[in-house]
Amino acid sequence: MPAGNNFAFHPFVSYNFEKTAYGDPTMSKNRASVELDGVDRAMLRLLQEDGALSNATLGEKLSLSVTPCWRRRKRLEDEHVITGYQANLDRRALGMNVFAFVQVTFNMHSDQDPDHFEEVMRRHDEVTSCHKITGAADYILQVVAADLDAYAEFVERVLRKQAGVSSIQSSLALREVKFSSRVPVPDA
């Protein structure tokens, strides 16, 4: 690699980092745990398996009538334990055959460049996840693309144009070992 070139591709077999689909994009503040009983926990497990369950079906599985089931579900939504519902799509069925983990490093941490970078990442659908991290890099992204040419175009058109970026390192997933957006629901 020529001296001074900090942009590299490193293919490797990877594990998937979890994605927050609907929550607040910042993770800077911890929040108190919500009180959950066994029925709440069972409800959360069932809804993670199938978020389209009706209150009638959900209530039947939990041995609740519709109204108490609706109240519990509504409380979990209001307390932001349930942050939204989504359909899980197979990216390959949509022609997104490349999955990249991208580490982005900034040369300065005191200016507004990282804030602008975060806003740009939120606007690009190919970026399925963006996290500010500890370690050598400042951010890790998950990016999908149709093929290597489309991924290279994204790097050139979007990432390399961001002010303050000093390094971009891409690791391409060779095989998906596990992918899930489900969060473990701890026992009481």
Side-chain angles (χ1 to χ4, degrees):
M1 184 181 320
N5 184 348
N6 291 326
F7 302 99
F9 286 118
H10 297 286
F12 76 115
V13 176
S14 59
Y15 292 95
N16 185 16
F17 297 96
E18 294 302 314
K19 174 185 171 213
T20 302
Y22 289 93
D24 182 346
T26 64
M27 293 176 47
S28 60
K29 295 184 180 167
N30 292 330
R31 54 181 270 225
S33 296
V34 174
E35 290 275 332
L36 301 173
D37 65 17
V39 176
D40 292 332
R41 293 170 195 281
M43 179 180 284
L44 293 172
R45 289 183 186 106
L46 288 168
L47 287 171
Q48 282 196 114
E49 286 178 28
D50 183 359
L53 285 175
S54 69
N55 285 324
T57 303
L58 187 59
E60 184 178 313
K61 290 177 181 273
L62 296 170
S63 300
L64 294 173
S65 62
V66 174
T67 302
C69 181
W70 175 83
R71 282 188 190 125
R72 281 180 181 266
R73 187 176 194 164
K74 177 84 170 101
R75 180 182 59 81
L76 292 169
E77 292 168 353
D78 290 347
E79 292 179 350
H80 302 286
V81 176
I82 298 173
T83 59
Y85 299 92
Q86 69 180 20
N88 295 315
L89 308 178
D90 182 340
R91 66 179 170 80
R92 289 177 203 87
L94 298 172
M96 297 293 156
N97 296 308
V98 171
F99 192 100
F101 296 91
V102 186
Q103 293 184 357
V104 178
T105 306
F106 280 81
N107 55 12
M108 299 192 72
H109 297 275
S110 60
D111 55 18
Q112 298 300 314
D113 292 339
D115 293 335
H116 177 71
F117 173 81
E118 290 177 13
E119 185 56 40
V120 170
M121 293 305 102
R122 285 185 195 105
R123 290 194 309 254
H124 284 276
D125 291 338
E126 1 359 24
V127 178
T128 60
S129 177
C130 175
H131 295 270
K132 187 171 182 93
I133 60 171
T134 62
D138 295 306
Y139 291 90
I140 189 162
L141 315 175
Q142 292 179 338
V143 178
V144 295
D147 53 32
L148 285 176
D149 290 336
Y151 177 69
E153 180 184 332
F154 172 78
V155 170
E156 293 296 326
R157 179 178 46 86
V158 177
L159 295 181
R160 287 196 177 173
K161 299 224 185 283
Q162 299 308 304
V165 170
S166 62
S167 173
I168 300 169
Q169 292 189 319
S170 300
S171 299
L172 303 178
L174 299 176
R175 181 170 54 96
E176 190 168 87
V177 176
K178 177 182 179 179
F179 177 82
S180 176
S181 60
R182 294 179 183 175
V183 176
V185 178
D187 293 327

